Amino acid sequence: MTDTSVAYDQEAKRYPLSFTQEWFLTMDKGDDSGPFGSRYLIVFALRITGPVDLTVLQGALDDVVARHELLRTLVVRDADPPYQQVCPPCQVPLEVRDLPPVVGKSRDMVAEEQLVEAERGTISTREVPLLRALLCRFDDRDSVLLLTAHHSVSDGWSVGVILRDLGAFYEARVSGAAPKLAEMCQYREYVEWQRASAASTDDDGALSYWAAKLDGAREFVMPTDHGHPPRYSRPYSLHVFSIDADTMAAAAALANATRGTVFVVMLSAIYILANRITGATDLTVDAITSGRNELAFHNTIGLFLNVLPFRTGIAGCTSFRDVVLETRNTFIDAMAHELPAGLLEQTFPDYIKSREDTRMAQFLISDTSSQAGTMSLPIAEGTKGLDERLLQDEETHDLPGGGTVWYLSAEPDGALHGLVQFNPEEFEPSTPQGWTAGLKQILARAVRDPDLDWRQL
């Protein structure tokens, strides 16, 4: 690791921040609870069936960091203005751990425990690279590769880019051939494009759209059980839930019938859940999007994710189908006028004033399926992705501060896998359990008969 906490390398180059990086700075508290804290990580795990050459793996990891500048880029927060500084290529820390058999535990359970442990790790944002690797070996042909990146330089889509390029470099080092790599731009080039585009938003009507859409709006927040603590001291907890394949198939059929998407149907059900909780019918729900509308940056690693407010009034709707149609219109218009979250909050600060209520917590939904991009799994033909299925309601460090995030992802069998991250200093575990039970009930009834009065769901 290159320690840059005292003096930055003379070879490093300075560039302006993206709007997303600036947005993260507004949440930075200067400690480990903020988005630049050492616990704000994204961890991805691979279960590998086949041999792993450690020398080749180390070289391939280093190749990825050499190719993608942002994995060796520091955000200098105490400068005026803050900037990002690109450092020279460097070696990725790779730890190898041999796992002995554990009585009463399957290898699958042990593998997931390693994943949870990695999520509880730390990466300092004052050291490069901002990527770590851990190879856990059951034997010579069964292992788990855990890659941990700091979330300030990576998102769900970036995971796919890292894995694809890692595979290309690994294969090239084994074969001796040149790596087969897609054309790419660096994140600093994206920042340059983003800032140039933002300077011309008046011409495309985006600011006018949001000025009208957010006039009088208030971001939806969830009532907490305990309010906000003066300082967050505990990691987030994770509540796992699922929605069966039959219900999701009916949701997909309704999406097709209304010329929408499954996400629109899910958002409609969440509006009704929000109405149950608060009684509100003018609802502005924040959702995380991939932020990757430009094809030129699909192969770029970086923090592209965006948060858009989707404001829909459901008071005039009679049936659930009506709610879906209204939500569809909201979704199409918002995506057509997408602006960076930081720019929206700076320009229209009134709609986020609901966050000032210390009894309430921010609410976000994230359709992870739409943020993943193209995923290819490297190193061996028997490689598969690994996530937490056998472990329920574990603690995690993924998010800074307070609030809740609902992660939704489609399963190969058609079911929906959901995770709710919440802070136990704000919520009792039974609270998110009740929310997800309510959402499942609303959705099952709604897609079975979408012409029912939504108030009776």
Side-chain angles (χ1 to χ4, degrees), residues 240-382:
V240 182
F241 71 100
S242 63
I243 298 177
D244 63 89
D246 289 343
T247 298
M248 294 311 300
L254 178 59
N256 289 335
T258 54
R259 299 173 64 190
T261 65
V262 172
F263 175 77
V264 167
V265 175
M266 293 299 301
L267 180 56
S268 301
I270 287 171
Y271 282 139
I272 295 172
L273 176 66
N275 171 263
R276 275 191 186 180
I277 294 171
T278 66
T281 54
D282 182 1
L283 294 157
T284 303
V285 171
D286 287 341
I288 299 173
T289 70
S290 70
R292 293 183 185 253
N293 298 327
E294 292 296 316
L295 185 62
F297 304 110
H298 279 197
N299 298 316
T300 303
I301 287 175
L303 190 65
F304 286 80
L305 64 81
N306 197 22
V307 175
L308 279 185
F310 293 96
R311 184 185 188 184
T312 303
I314 63 174
C317 298
T318 300
S319 66
F320 183 71
R321 189 187 302 273
D322 294 336
V323 176
V324 172
L325 291 170
E326 284 295 318
T327 304
R328 172 184 173 273
N329 293 337
T330 295
F331 178 81
I332 291 172
D333 289 344
M335 294 301 295
H337 297 92
E338 184 170 8
L339 288 178
L343 183 60
L344 276 177
E345 292 186 7
Q346 292 170 17
T347 309
F348 309 107
D350 285 348
Y351 89 93
I352 59 172
K353 284 187 175 179
S354 49
R355 297 179 196 173
E356 298 172 2
D357 189 336
T358 58
R359 300 164 300 174
M360 310 295 280
Q362 192 176 6
F363 175 86
L364 282 168
I365 57 175
S366 177
D367 178 12
T368 57
S369 303
S370 68
Q371 297 163 32
T374 302
M375 190 74 72
S376 61
L377 303 182
I379 300 176
E381 290 186 6

Side-chain angles (χ1 to χ4, degrees), residues 205-269:
L207 287 175
S208 298
Y209 166 79
W210 288 110
K213 191 67 176 178
L214 297 177
D215 183 26
R218 287 294 181 269
E219 180 185 65
F220 173 69
V221 288
M222 301 289 265
T224 64
D225 296 321
H226 306 297
H228 300 305
R231 181 184 179 89
Y232 291 95
S233 59
R234 295 177 61 187
Y236 271 70
S237 286
L238 184 69
H239 170 61
V240 182
F241 71 100
S242 63
I243 298 177
D244 63 89
D246 289 343
T247 298
M248 294 311 300
L254 178 59
N256 289 335
T258 54
R259 299 173 64 190
T261 65
V262 172
F263 175 77
V264 167
V265 175
M266 293 299 301
L267 180 56
S268 301

Side-chain angles (χ1 to χ4, degrees), residues 13-324:
K13 298 181 180 180
R14 302 180 181 187
Y15 301 98
L17 302 182
S18 69
F19 286 116
T20 306
Q21 289 171 317
E22 288 185 342
W23 178 50
F24 266 38
L25 281 177
T26 66
M27 298 179 278
D28 181 38
K29 300 178 178 63
D31 57 25
D32 272 359
S33 68
F36 290 99
S38 63
R39 299 186 304 177
Y40 192 40
L41 310 176
I42 183 167
V43 181
F44 35 108
L46 302 176
R47 185 71 177 273
I48 301 172
T49 303
V52 178
D53 186 315
L54 293 179
T55 302
V56 172
L57 177 60
Q58 180 69 71
L61 288 166
D62 296 345
D63 290 339
V64 170
V65 169
R67 173 172 163 83
H68 295 280
E69 291 179 350
L70 199 66
L71 293 174
R72 47 187 168 87
T73 294
L74 302 166
V75 173
V76 182
R77 291 167 277 163
D78 53 2
D80 186 18
Y83 59 88
Q84 55 181 327
Q85 188 159 353
V86 179
C87 299
C90 50
Q91 187 175 67
V92 176
L94 170 60
E95 178 187 351
V96 180
R97 184 182 299 170
D98 291 319
L99 300 176
V102 179
V103 176
K105 289 185 178 179
S106 67
R107 286 186 173 186
D108 289 343
M109 177 68 78
V110 173
E112 292 190 19
E113 288 177 342
Q114 296 299 314
L115 171 56
V116 171
E117 181 181 333
E119 290 175 332
R120 293 173 177 166
T122 60
I123 292 180
S124 170
T125 53
R126 294 184 180 276
E127 296 177 346
V128 294
L130 295 168
L131 178 69
R132 306 283 185 271
L134 168 63
L135 182 68
C136 300
R137 299 187 297 195
F138 292 108
D139 57 43
D140 290 342
R141 297 191 59 82
D142 187 4
S143 57
V144 179
L145 177 63
L146 295 148
L147 299 176
T148 304
H150 199 277
H151 215 333
S152 65
V153 298
S154 185
D155 55 20
W157 191 295
S158 297
V159 169
V161 177
I162 290 172
L163 293 178
R164 185 199 63 212
D165 287 359
L166 178 63
F169 284 124
Y170 189 97
E171 182 180 351
R173 284 177 171 269
V174 169
S175 67
K180 299 175 182 178
L181 300 166
E183 291 186 9
M184 60 157 287
C185 297
Q186 298 293 348
Y187 190 76
R188 57 181 169 79
E189 296 175 288
Y190 162 71
V191 175
E192 182 180 2
W193 170 86
Q194 184 191 53
R195 290 192 169 277
S197 299
S200 63
T201 51
D202 286 335
D203 297 334
D204 62 18
L207 287 175
S208 298
Y209 166 79
W210 288 110
K213 191 67 176 178
L214 297 177
D215 183 26
R218 287 294 181 269
E219 180 185 65
F220 173 69
V221 288
M222 301 289 265
T224 64
D225 296 321
H226 306 297
H228 300 305
R231 181 184 179 89
Y232 291 95
S233 59
R234 295 177 61 187
Y236 271 70
S237 286
L238 184 69
H239 170 61
V240 182
F241 71 100
S242 63
I243 298 177
D244 63 89
D246 289 343
T247 298
M248 294 311 300
L254 178 59
N256 289 335
T258 54
R259 299 173 64 190
T261 65
V262 172
F263 175 77
V264 167
V265 175
M266 293 299 301
L267 180 56
S268 301
I270 287 171
Y271 282 139
I272 295 172
L273 176 66
N275 171 263
R276 275 191 186 180
I277 294 171
T278 66
T281 54
D282 182 1
L283 294 157
T284 303
V285 171
D286 287 341
I288 299 173
T289 70
S290 70
R292 293 183 185 253
N293 298 327
E294 292 296 316
L295 185 62
F297 304 110
H298 279 197
N299 298 316
T300 303
I301 287 175
L303 190 65
F304 286 80
L305 64 81
N306 197 22
V307 175
L308 279 185
F310 293 96
R311 184 185 188 184
T312 303
I314 63 174
C317 298
T318 300
S319 66
F320 183 71
R321 189 187 302 273
D322 294 336
V323 176
V324 172

Side-chain angles (χ1 to χ4, degrees), residues 222 224 228 232 236-237 360-364 399-406 420-424 426-427 435:
M222 301 289 265
T224 64
H228 300 305
Y232 291 95
Y236 271 70
S237 286
M360 310 295 280
Q362 192 176 6
F363 175 86
L364 282 168
L399 296 170
T404 64
V405 177
W406 295 46
V420 179
Q421 286 184 318
F422 66 97
N423 196 299
E426 294 178 331
F427 298 101
W435 294 336

